[in-house]
């Protein structure tokens, strides 16, 4: 379905959230090659981030980021299987903040508005994931690069038409929220034909 891939909607972030694109080339709000700044009223300041995380090693931050992302991914699948949501569900809020939260909520609303649902028993899968320390900064305490595969999954429209998935390659950026929790605050994402983290 060409319109699905070329601008009306696309798989974003975890290859399962549908968002309106307009003329954007990818997901997230930062230019390619530059880690995004932590911007939102819910993000801690850089100095607070450093203080909160001073007792944690980078390996511990990486492990926490992976736990957060995998938990978010699982909750996201449940929301999409249920047909999206009119507002961000409480089950997702512990894992995301900032621009990423806004993007995810917009995706859930798009799915809900169009009355789409993921195919039952055909969830997307995380097929590769690793920390990327080159993306770290004062504001980015942890960063993951990941591939998720939704080729065997897809959305069913209210008319029963299948909107197919693909392979999504994403960079995910984590910071401490004001509640002290490590959360995804921004991302960059693109659809690829093969995961560059594999092989």
């Amino acid at each position: 379905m060409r319109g699905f891939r070329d601008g009306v909607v696309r798989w974003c972030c975890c290859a399962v959230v549908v968002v309106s694109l307009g003329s954007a080339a990818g997901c997230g709000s930062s230019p390619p090659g530059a880690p995004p700044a932590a911007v939102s009223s819910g993000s801690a300041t850089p100095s607070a981030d450093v203080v909160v995380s001073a007792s944690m090693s980078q390996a511990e931050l990486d492990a926490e980021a992976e736990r957060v992302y995998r938990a978010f991914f699982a909750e996201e699948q449940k929301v999409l299987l249920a047909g999206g949501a009119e507002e961000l569900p409480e089950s997702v809020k512990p894992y995301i903040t900032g621009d990423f939260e806004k993007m995810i909520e917009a995706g859930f609303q798009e799915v809900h508005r169009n009355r789409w649902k993921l195919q039952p028993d055909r969830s997307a899968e995380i097929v590769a994931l690793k920390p990327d320390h080159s993306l770290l900064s004062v504001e980015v305490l942890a960063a993951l690069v990941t591939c998720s595969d939704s080729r065997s999954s897809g959305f069913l429209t209210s008319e029963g038409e299948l909107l197919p998935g693909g392979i999504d390659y994403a960079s995910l950026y984590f910071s401490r929220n004001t509640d002290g929790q490590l959360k995804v605050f921004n991302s960059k994402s693109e659809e690829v034909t093969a995961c560059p983290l594999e092989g």
Side-chain angles (χ1 to χ4, degrees), residues 120-188:
D121 303 318
R122 291 176 178 264
S123 296
E125 296 180 333
I126 299 170
V127 294
L129 181 152
K130 69 175 185 177
D132 188 340
H133 295 163
S134 71
L135 302 177
L136 300 181
S137 69
V138 172
E139 294 172 322
V140 181
L141 299 181
L144 299 176
V145 287
T146 180
C147 291
S148 50
D149 189 344
S150 59
R151 288 175 296 179
S152 63
S153 182
F155 282 105
L156 289 173
T157 70
S158 56
E159 293 78 28
E161 182 180 6
L162 176 64
L163 305 179
I167 300 174
D168 189 75
Y169 177 51
S171 299
L172 301 162
Y173 304 92
F174 295 77
S175 68
R176 291 283 183 198
N177 194 263
T178 51
D179 60 9
Q181 300 301 308
L182 195 69
K183 298 184 178 185
V184 187
F185 74 88
N186 213 328
S187 72
K188 292 185 294 184

Side-chain angles (χ1 to χ4, degrees), residues 4-29:
F4 176 68
R5 292 190 50 169
D6 294 346
V8 178
V9 292
R10 68 163 282 199
W11 299 93
C12 189
C13 306
C14 305
V16 290
V17 173
V18 178
V19 294
S20 296
L21 269 190
S23 60
C27 300
S29 59

Side-chain angles (χ1 to χ4, degrees), residues 27 30 68 72 97 104 108 120 125-126:
C27 300
S30 296
V68 167
F72 160 74
T97 191
I104 294 301
F108 288 163
E125 296 180 333
I126 299 170

